[in-house]
Amino acid sequence: MTPSIGLVERLTREIVQTIRAENLQPGQTLPSAKVLAERFEVTVPTVREALRRLEATGSVELMHGSGTYVREAINRRILDNPHYVPVDLAAAIELLDARVAIEPGIAELAAQIQSAEAVASMESALDNALQVETAVPAGHFHVELARASGNRALHEMLVSLLAIHSRTQQAARTTYDRLRDHDEHADILDAIKRGDGFEAAHRTRKHLEAIKTVVLADWADDPQTDDAANKEAEQ
Amino acid sequence: MTPSIGLVERLTREIVQTIRAENLQPGQTLPSAKVLAERFEVTVPTVREALRRLEATGSVELMHGSGTYVREAINRRILDNPHYVPVDLAAAIELLDARVAIEPGIAELAAQIQSAEAVASMESALDNALQVETAVPAGHFHVELARASGNRALHEMLVSLLAIHSRTQQAARTTYDRLRDHDEHADILDAIKRGDGFEAAHRTRKHLEAIKTVVLADWADDPQTDDAANKEAEQ
DNA sequence: CGCACCAAAGTGATTAGATGACTTAAACAC
DNA sequence: GTGTTTAAGTCATCTAATCACTTTGGTGCG
């Protein structure tokens, strides 16, 4: 039924199934390439090609001299393209538009769920943002908000959007006021804690639209050099 | 500045940049592995590892005896995890919930945009669905709807969601009435053509919730064998 | 005893060359 | 002109070896 699928692809699936069968958790190591090669009766280069596939999707990480480690993304459905080359500001705006489209719904779900620990995570994220120069990953308020929705697909989508956004030039240039950001997050969280889904959604939308406005304003003040931007836009 | 990044990862980036620099479009072939090896002054196995990474994310495809082809996903930001092992019905419901959360917003955007060609694509998808046993990919009404939103990130998210859903056992078992599906799609499209974003969003939400109801009903009638399901659920 | 240094083992990284299998298209025969 | 055959190009996989990095455990000095 699967007549002509390559050996590497089959091997990749077998490795994934092995990880799941042996219940290997993120952080744990896989057997060495040599051992895997013997177990699946292939050679080391073939195993390495399979591992490179898994590496590209963040399912594993190959660490020189140390070993091959299972990574979180093995449990993710939605990923960001690690080979995507970010370009223009229009793409950054597009990402913000996407967030405007989906995050209000996420906030509404979070308000309905009302998980205690999720609320705690969001409060924690609220504090962290004021102190550490927290990057995009975990601990980010919007990520915790998405986690609080209880829907892993939505959570993974938002993580992906933010990961892509962080690779954009505009990410660093955006100068959204730290305190204002904090206050608006607090307002959203407040609505969630009250279980007011409608208000949480509304505040989230306004918050993101405000960010978008700032980004656009920054752009107007100091338009970037968009050599590669035009080529991307016309396609 | 990039102290200890592997040779393969660097090579992968260089290949992507080469593709973009030479403006290679999906369907076109890359130079042979041997040529790439000489150009970047590495050996063939190293090139192959880099290509396997790109293959895992759908950016390229290696075809035995033919060549290495550029694929559409090289322009995608959001991907579905090709190594994800689908499991239980709960995950399928989660995907539908995610769609309920984001698709109404997409429909609203589509109604605001009102692209003529996008509307044509949706009408085409409407007809196809009644005739061909169209699978998940292009031509699917909901995919065209997402495309009509004008936001590529949203479009890619929906494609990813549907791709994952298609790999679920429940995908085939869902027996949503073909005619009812068509009629509800037509109703959504009708609202979009009128520019009524609110109504388009509302009808989209109702449509997806109805599908969810049917899936749940199917499950109640004929509960599946969920050996692997429980392990996933408790985590 | 405790700490620093060092050596060895394990592992991944990369290279090298060779063989096999598949695809495509050109050359050829009919 | 059509069909077959042949040859070249390409990916697929293997074998073998060397290099680089990490970790660990010991060894010896203080």
Side-chain angles (χ1 to χ4, degrees):
Chain A
M1 199 51 62
T2 53
S4 60
I5 102 170
L7 175 56
V8 170
E9 177 160 357
R10 191 174 359 171
L11 177 60
T12 306
R13 294 181 189 177
E14 288 175 332
I15 291 176
V16 171
Q17 288 177 353
T18 298
I19 292 174
R20 305 201 81 87
E22 298 186 2
N23 201 29
L24 290 184
Q25 295 302 308
Q28 292 187 280
T29 71
L30 247 57
S32 76
K34 186 164 177 284
V35 171
L36 288 176
E38 292 167 354
R39 180 182 304 177
F40 295 111
E41 296 180 318
V42 293
T43 57
V44 171
T46 304
V47 169
R48 286 183 61 80
E49 286 188 23
L51 291 177
R52 287 296 188 193
R53 286 189 55 137
L54 293 171
E55 184 191 44
T57 56
S59 292
V60 306
E61 184 177 359
L62 286 66
M63 301 195 75
H64 192 166
S66 175
T68 304
Y69 295 79
V70 179
R71 287 292 178 243
E72 278 289 349
I74 197 172
N75 291 319
R76 285 182 61 181
R77 300 152 185 73
I78 308 287
L79 304 170
D80 56 286
N81 186 340
H83 307 119
Y84 174 73
V85 182
V87 271
D88 55 347
L89 174 122
I93 296 298
E94 209 168 31
L95 291 177
L96 270 173
D97 281 335
R99 291 181 61 187
V100 170
I102 70 173
E103 281 201 63
I106 289 175
E108 188 172 355
L109 275 178
Q112 293 169 7
I113 299 279
Q114 284 265 21
S115 160
E117 62 178 335
V119 169
S121 293
M122 284 186 280
E123 282 176 337
S124 170
L126 215 56
D127 300 337
N128 290 344
L130 280 182
Q131 298 173 352
V132 199
E133 183 66 34
T134 175
V136 182
H140 188 291
F141 178 79
H142 290 265
V143 171
E144 295 305 318
L145 174 63
R147 191 198 309 279
S149 75
N151 187 301
R152 287 185 294 180
L154 288 173
H155 175 245
E156 292 164 9
M157 288 189 331
L158 195 62
V159 169
S160 298
L161 284 178
L162 290 178
I164 297 164
H165 185 251
S166 72
R167 281 189 269 155
T168 306
Q169 295 89 340
Q170 276 64 35
R173 296 179 59 240
T174 304
T175 58
Y176 199 68
D177 183 77
R178 189 82 70 90
L179 286 178
R180 180 180 174 187
D181 203 44
H182 175 275
D183 288 347
E184 293 180 357
H185 286 172
D187 287 344
I188 294 170
L189 181 52
D190 180 64
I192 290 174
K193 284 197 282 193
R194 290 201 321 270
D196 188 343
F198 182 82
E199 185 64 20
H202 180 257
R203 289 178 179 177
T204 299
R205 174 184 282 260
K206 289 300 176 191
H207 172 54
L208 290 170
E209 286 174 345
I211 292 178
K212 180 181 170 183
T213 300
V214 170
V215 170
L216 283 173
D218 278 5
W219 180 56
D221 282 354
D222 177 21
Q224 62 167 1
T225 60
D226 49 2
D227 34 309
N230 295 335
K231 296 183 100 170
E232 188 75 4
E234 70 188 20
Q235 177 184 327
Chain B
M1 198 52 61
T2 51
S4 60
I5 103 169
L7 173 57
V8 170
E9 178 160 357
R10 191 172 9 185
L11 177 60
T12 306
R13 295 181 188 177
E14 286 175 334
I15 291 177
V16 171
Q17 288 177 353
T18 297
I19 292 174
R20 304 200 83 87
E22 298 186 3
N23 201 29
L24 291 183
Q25 295 302 308
Q28 292 186 280
T29 70
L30 249 56
S32 75
K34 187 163 177 282
V35 171
L36 288 175
E38 291 167 354
R39 177 181 306 177
F40 295 111
E41 296 181 316
V42 294
T43 57
V44 171
T46 305
V47 169
R48 285 184 62 80
E49 287 186 22
L51 291 177
R52 287 298 190 192
R53 286 189 55 136
L54 292 171
E55 184 191 44
T57 56
S59 292
V60 306
E61 182 177 0
L62 286 66
M63 302 196 73
H64 190 168
S66 177
T68 303
Y69 295 80
V70 178
R71 288 292 179 243
E72 279 289 348
I74 197 172
N75 291 320
R76 286 181 60 179
R77 300 150 185 74
I78 308 288
L79 304 170
D80 56 285
N81 186 342
H83 307 117
Y84 175 73
V85 182
V87 273
D88 55 347
L89 173 120
I93 296 299
E94 209 169 29
L95 291 177
L96 271 173
D97 281 336
R99 291 181 60 187
V100 171
I102 71 173
E103 282 201 63
I106 290 175
E108 190 173 354
L109 275 179
Q112 293 169 6
I113 299 279
Q114 285 266 21
S115 161
E117 64 178 334
V119 169
S121 293
M122 283 187 282
E123 282 175 338
S124 171
L126 215 57
D127 299 335
N128 289 345
L130 280 182
Q131 300 173 352
V132 199
E133 183 67 35
T134 174
V136 182
H140 189 291
F141 177 79
H142 289 267
V143 171
E144 294 306 319
L145 174 63
R147 193 199 307 280
S149 75
N151 187 302
R152 287 186 293 181
L154 288 173
H155 175 244
E156 292 164 9
M157 286 188 336
L158 195 62
V159 170
S160 297
L161 284 177
L162 290 178
I164 298 164
H165 185 251
S166 73
R167 282 189 268 155
T168 308
Q169 296 89 340
Q170 275 66 33
R173 297 180 59 240
T174 303
T175 57
Y176 198 68
D177 183 77
R178 191 81 71 89
L179 285 179
R180 180 180 175 188
D181 204 43
H182 175 274
D183 289 346
E184 294 180 355
H185 286 172
D187 287 344
I188 293 170
L189 181 52
D190 180 64
I192 289 174
K193 285 197 282 192
R194 291 201 319 271
D196 189 342
F198 181 82
E199 186 62 22
H202 180 257
R203 288 179 180 178
T204 299
R205 173 183 283 261
K206 288 300 175 190
H207 172 54
L208 290 171
E209 286 174 345
I211 291 178
K212 179 180 171 182
T213 301
V214 170
V215 172
L216 283 172
D218 279 4
W219 180 55
D221 283 353
D222 177 20
Q224 62 168 356
T225 60
D226 50 0
D227 32 309
N230 294 336
K231 296 183 104 172
E232 190 75 1
E234 68 187 23
Q235 178 182 332

Short mmCIF file of all heavy atoms in Angstrom, two decimals, chain A residues 6-7 19 43 52 59 61 75-76 82 96 122 129 147 186 189 202 206 216 222 227-228 233:
data_model
loop_
_atom_site.label_atom_id
_atom_site.label_comp_id
_atom_site.label_asym_id
_atom_site.label_seq_id
_atom_site.Cartn_x
_atom_site.Cartn_y
_atom_site.Cartn_z
N GLY A 6 10.43 6.37 0.39
CA GLY A 6 11.85 6.20 0.60
C GLY A 6 12.19 5.54 1.93
O GLY A 6 11.41 5.55 2.87
N LEU A 7 13.38 5.00 1.97
CA LEU A 7 13.85 4.34 3.19
C LEU A 7 14.00 5.34 4.32
O LEU A 7 13.68 5.06 5.47
CB LEU A 7 15.19 3.64 2.91
CG LEU A 7 15.89 3.00 4.10
CD1 LEU A 7 14.98 2.01 4.78
CD2 LEU A 7 17.16 2.32 3.65
N ILE A 19 10.32 6.63 19.78
CA ILE A 19 10.32 7.65 20.83
C ILE A 19 9.02 7.59 21.61
O ILE A 19 9.01 7.64 22.84
CB ILE A 19 10.52 9.06 20.21
CG1 ILE A 19 11.92 9.19 19.64
CG2 ILE A 19 10.26 10.13 21.25
CD1 ILE A 19 12.16 10.48 18.88
N THR A 43 22.46 2.00 7.57
CA THR A 43 23.77 2.52 7.91
C THR A 43 23.65 3.88 8.59
O THR A 43 22.60 4.52 8.58
CB THR A 43 24.65 2.67 6.66
OG1 THR A 43 23.99 3.51 5.74
CG2 THR A 43 24.90 1.32 6.03
N ARG A 52 18.15 14.41 10.67
CA ARG A 52 18.14 15.79 10.17
C ARG A 52 16.71 16.23 9.86
O ARG A 52 16.36 17.39 10.05
CB ARG A 52 18.99 15.90 8.91
CG ARG A 52 20.48 15.83 9.16
CD ARG A 52 20.97 16.99 9.97
NE ARG A 52 22.43 17.02 10.04
CZ ARG A 52 23.13 17.76 10.88
NH1 ARG A 52 22.51 18.55 11.75
NH2 ARG A 52 24.45 17.74 10.88
N SER A 59 11.81 18.35 16.41
CA SER A 59 11.46 17.17 17.18
C SER A 59 12.66 16.64 17.96
O SER A 59 12.51 16.10 19.05
CB SER A 59 10.92 16.07 16.26
OG SER A 59 9.67 16.44 15.73
N GLU A 61 17.19 17.33 18.63
CA GLU A 61 18.33 18.22 18.43
C GLU A 61 19.60 17.40 18.50
O GLU A 61 19.79 16.60 19.41
CB GLU A 61 18.34 19.32 19.51
CG GLU A 61 19.45 20.33 19.29
CD GLU A 61 19.41 21.46 20.31
OE1 GLU A 61 18.51 21.45 21.16
OE2 GLU A 61 20.29 22.33 20.25
N ASN A 75 5.81 17.07 20.07
CA ASN A 75 4.39 16.99 20.43
C ASN A 75 3.56 18.10 19.79
O ASN A 75 2.38 18.22 20.07
CB ASN A 75 4.24 17.06 21.96
CG ASN A 75 4.77 15.82 22.63
OD1 ASN A 75 4.56 14.70 22.15
ND2 ASN A 75 5.47 15.99 23.74
N ARG A 76 4.21 18.91 18.96
CA ARG A 76 3.45 20.01 18.34
C ARG A 76 2.88 19.59 17.00
O ARG A 76 3.47 18.81 16.27
CB ARG A 76 4.38 21.23 18.14
CG ARG A 76 4.67 21.96 19.43
CD ARG A 76 5.54 23.17 19.17
NE ARG A 76 4.94 24.15 18.28
CZ ARG A 76 5.55 25.27 17.91
NH1 ARG A 76 6.76 25.54 18.36
NH2 ARG A 76 4.94 26.12 17.12
N PRO A 82 11.21 26.83 9.89
CA PRO A 82 12.52 27.29 10.38
C PRO A 82 13.41 27.82 9.26
O PRO A 82 14.40 28.48 9.53
CB PRO A 82 13.12 26.03 11.01
CG PRO A 82 12.50 24.91 10.24
CD PRO A 82 11.11 25.36 9.90
N LEU A 96 0.51 40.53 12.41
CA LEU A 96 -0.31 41.20 13.43
C LEU A 96 -1.80 41.09 13.08
O LEU A 96 -2.63 40.90 13.96
CB LEU A 96 0.09 42.68 13.53
CG LEU A 96 1.20 42.95 14.55
CD1 LEU A 96 1.66 44.40 14.47
CD2 LEU A 96 0.71 42.63 15.96
N MET A 122 -0.36 33.38 33.67
CA MET A 122 -0.50 34.69 33.04
C MET A 122 -0.06 35.79 33.98
O MET A 122 0.59 36.75 33.56
CB MET A 122 -1.95 34.90 32.59
CG MET A 122 -2.30 34.11 31.33
SD MET A 122 -3.95 34.48 30.70
CE MET A 122 -4.95 33.49 31.79
N ALA A 129 7.42 40.44 32.45
CA ALA A 129 7.57 41.37 31.34
C ALA A 129 8.14 42.70 31.82
O ALA A 129 8.85 43.39 31.08
CB ALA A 129 6.22 41.59 30.66
N ARG A 147 -2.24 29.43 25.94
CA ARG A 147 -2.22 28.16 26.66
C ARG A 147 -3.47 28.03 27.53
O ARG A 147 -4.04 26.94 27.69
CB ARG A 147 -0.97 28.07 27.53
CG ARG A 147 -0.74 26.68 28.12
CD ARG A 147 0.21 26.70 29.29
NE ARG A 147 1.45 27.40 29.04
CZ ARG A 147 2.49 26.86 28.39
NH1 ARG A 147 2.43 25.64 27.98
NH2 ARG A 147 3.58 27.57 28.20
N ALA A 186 -2.92 43.47 31.85
CA ALA A 186 -3.61 43.33 33.13
C ALA A 186 -5.12 43.47 32.95
O ALA A 186 -5.91 42.75 33.58
CB ALA A 186 -3.08 44.37 34.12
N LEU A 189 -6.41 40.25 31.48
CA LEU A 189 -6.42 39.21 32.50
C LEU A 189 -7.55 39.43 33.49
O LEU A 189 -8.21 38.48 33.95
CB LEU A 189 -5.07 39.18 33.22
CG LEU A 189 -4.91 38.10 34.30
CD1 LEU A 189 -5.27 36.74 33.75
CD2 LEU A 189 -3.48 38.10 34.83
N HIS A 202 -12.75 41.63 23.45
CA HIS A 202 -12.74 43.02 22.99
C HIS A 202 -11.44 43.73 23.36
O HIS A 202 -10.83 44.41 22.54
CB HIS A 202 -13.94 43.76 23.58
CG HIS A 202 -14.03 45.20 23.16
ND1 HIS A 202 -13.66 46.24 24.00
CD2 HIS A 202 -14.40 45.77 21.99
CE1 HIS A 202 -13.82 47.38 23.36
NE2 HIS A 202 -14.27 47.14 22.13
N LYS A 206 -8.48 45.27 20.87
CA LYS A 206 -8.03 46.67 20.95
C LYS A 206 -6.53 46.75 21.23
O LYS A 206 -5.82 47.58 20.66
CB LYS A 206 -8.81 47.40 22.07
CG LYS A 206 -10.27 47.65 21.73
CD LYS A 206 -10.42 48.49 20.47
CE LYS A 206 -11.86 48.69 20.05
NZ LYS A 206 -11.97 49.29 18.71
N LEU A 216 3.00 50.68 12.63
CA LEU A 216 2.83 51.44 11.41
C LEU A 216 3.39 52.85 11.56
O LEU A 216 4.00 53.40 10.64
CB LEU A 216 1.34 51.50 11.03
CG LEU A 216 0.78 50.23 10.40
CD1 LEU A 216 -0.73 50.34 10.24
CD2 LEU A 216 1.44 49.96 9.06
N ASP A 222 10.32 56.17 10.17
CA ASP A 222 11.64 55.73 9.71
C ASP A 222 11.49 54.56 8.75
O ASP A 222 11.76 53.41 9.10
CB ASP A 222 12.49 55.33 10.91
CG ASP A 222 13.83 54.79 10.50
OD1 ASP A 222 14.26 55.09 9.37
OD2 ASP A 222 14.43 54.07 11.31
N ASP A 227 14.56 46.73 -0.05
CA ASP A 227 14.98 46.20 -1.34
C ASP A 227 14.30 44.88 -1.61
O ASP A 227 13.66 44.68 -2.64
CB ASP A 227 16.51 46.02 -1.35
CG ASP A 227 17.04 45.64 0.01
OD1 ASP A 227 16.69 46.34 1.01
OD2 ASP A 227 17.76 44.67 0.09
N ALA A 228 14.44 43.97 -0.66
CA ALA A 228 13.84 42.64 -0.86
C ALA A 228 12.33 42.70 -0.70
O ALA A 228 11.62 41.81 -1.13
CB ALA A 228 14.42 41.65 0.14
N ALA A 233 6.48 41.43 -2.50
CA ALA A 233 5.13 41.97 -2.54
C ALA A 233 4.45 41.69 -3.87
O ALA A 233 3.26 41.38 -3.92
CB ALA A 233 5.19 43.49 -2.30
#
